[in-house]
Amino acid sequence: MRRLFTSESVTEGHPDKLCDLISDTVLDAYLEKDPDSRVACEVTASTGLITVMGEITSKAVIDIQPLIREAIREVGYTDSSMGFDADTCSVMNTVHGQSPDIAQGVGDNNDENSGAGDQGLIFGFACSETETLMPLPIYLAHKLSERLTFVRKSGILTYLRPDGKTQVTVEYDENDVPKRIDAIVVSTQHSEDVTLEQIKEDVIKHVITPVIDEKMMDDNTKIYINPTGRFVIGGPFGDSGLTGRKIIVDTYGGYARHGGGAFSGKDPSKVDRSAAYMARYIAKNLVAASLCEKCEIQLAYAIGVAKPVSVRVDTFGTGKLSEDKLEELVMENFDLRPYGIIKTLGLRNPIYKKTSNYGHMGKAGLPWEETNMAETLKKAANI
């Protein structure tokens, strides 16, 4: 039976992702000077305007406007001809302090029994489809987006502009193993003075070919490049942007469930961010320990309560132990209180800017991507 699955990614110049980047840039700036900062920073972007809003309580005093302009500049919006310019756009700051009602319920950051910063249900996932233990469709979509940005910033394709999107459709066989690439979509913003034919030729040569294994493609693989025929107007000039609007791009590309909470701009007392990282960490270590081929973790929290109200493991029939036993292993070997999550993964460090684009999961160098618990889990499972 033929089964297709599709995931998408977007570049850092996409207006929603620009907002995510600014939110996490602000968060990192506060955590760098005060690791106990409470931050919930959201950003909107529209034609010529960035608005920063939310709640921040910190001992640090930060002038965020230069940080915002530098983040926009890093993305590549440096000329009004692109419809958005880091040096001339307006920046409106409406940030205020955290609600005392929330602060009272959450408690002190250094209290082992500090409660969760909000109620929420959170999912983490891992599978053996790729070396990063991520699903293949989102893995390849991110690689294409990253490559699209690389060829723009490195000067290989000088006519490209920051905004862009990619999409990959993978065909799976009857054993749920990736068989081939069925379709690839790349849409990239560009300057006025380039033809669609040139864009198609260059994107295939410099973006798709270096990323996609030719063995996974065949004569029936469909490739669509700028299918509307023109993509000159883009970024915040072409569409408004908002922090937290690309939550499926940020996680598993729709391959696993999502609890609905966004990540960017939130300090780790907010469990919809920190517990999502812990859930990924647990799932990845269970797969790395060969206790299953595919794993989804669900954690659920109540605001002001330290321990999760529920823990669930689903291995989709691939587990070497029962899911009840795996749930016991998880609860015995991982501290799932907010304090324990933050301590285990070192989440008070300013590490978040690098997560804001090309996925929060599957990136080397992030603490929740380590597999340092795999051997412990193997021993605990007597395998």
Side-chain angles (χ1 to χ4, degrees), residues 291-312:
L291 296 179
C292 51
E293 292 292 313
K294 188 183 293 187
C295 181
E296 184 180 77
I297 304 292
Q298 187 198 44
L299 306 174
Y301 290 85
I303 187 168
V305 180
K307 292 184 178 180
V309 297
S310 71
V311 177
R312 182 176 183 270

Side-chain angles (χ1 to χ4, degrees), residues 2 312 337 360 365:
R2 188 168 181 259
R312 182 176 183 270
R337 299 171 300 169
H360 291 243

Side-chain angles (χ1 to χ4, degrees), residues 124-280:
F125 182 80
C127 65
S128 57
E129 288 183 14
T130 63
E131 59 184 12
T132 60
L133 304 188
M134 288 287 287
L136 185 62
I138 189 67
Y139 173 85
L140 291 178
H142 283 323
K143 290 297 181 185
L144 288 172
S145 288
E146 286 184 283
R147 181 68 186 178
L148 196 57
T149 296
F150 173 77
V151 298
R152 171 176 62 87
K153 287 187 169 182
S154 65
I156 295 173
L157 299 179
T158 57
Y159 59 78
L160 295 186
R161 296 294 180 257
D163 199 356
K165 304 178 82 169
T166 65
Q167 188 171 283
V168 177
T169 301
V170 175
E171 181 179 338
Y172 290 79
D173 66 17
E174 63 276 6
N175 297 314
D176 218 24
V177 175
K179 180 181 177 183
R180 56 181 290 275
I181 305 299
D182 188 70
I184 297 169
V185 183
V186 178
S187 296
T188 179
Q189 187 185 10
H190 57 86
S191 63
E192 290 264 13
D193 56 351
V194 62
T195 65
L196 179 59
E197 290 70 25
Q198 185 68 54
I199 295 171
K200 287 181 176 180
E201 179 182 333
D202 287 343
V203 168
I204 290 172
K205 178 180 178 181
H206 295 290
V207 178
I208 295 175
T209 300
V211 170
I212 305 296
D213 185 350
E214 62 180 8
K215 295 176 182 176
M216 292 291 288
M217 300 175 68
D218 56 34
D219 293 340
N220 294 317
T221 299
K222 300 174 286 292
I223 297 177
Y224 303 98
I225 297 170
N226 280 18
T228 65
R230 178 180 167 89
F231 189 178
V232 173
I233 297 172
F237 184 63
D239 192 9
S240 61
L242 177 65
T243 299
R245 205 155 55 180
K246 285 289 176 284
I247 58 176
I248 298 303
V249 171
D250 286 342
T251 51
Y252 308 100
Y255 200 96
R257 281 168 277 216
H258 196 295
F263 301 152
S264 290
K266 297 178 181 178
D267 77 82
S269 73
K270 283 76 172 173
V271 288
D272 46 4
R273 181 170 210 168
S274 56
Y277 295 157
M278 176 57 89
R280 162 66 177 169

Side-chain angles (χ1 to χ4, degrees), residues 35 67 229 350:
L67 297 174

Side-chain angles (χ1 to χ4, degrees), residues 354-370:
K354 70 177 72 171
T355 69
S356 60
N357 283 291
Y358 315 114
H360 291 243
M361 315 303 177
K363 285 181 177 173
L366 294 172
W368 50 91
E369 293 300 319
E370 299 293 329

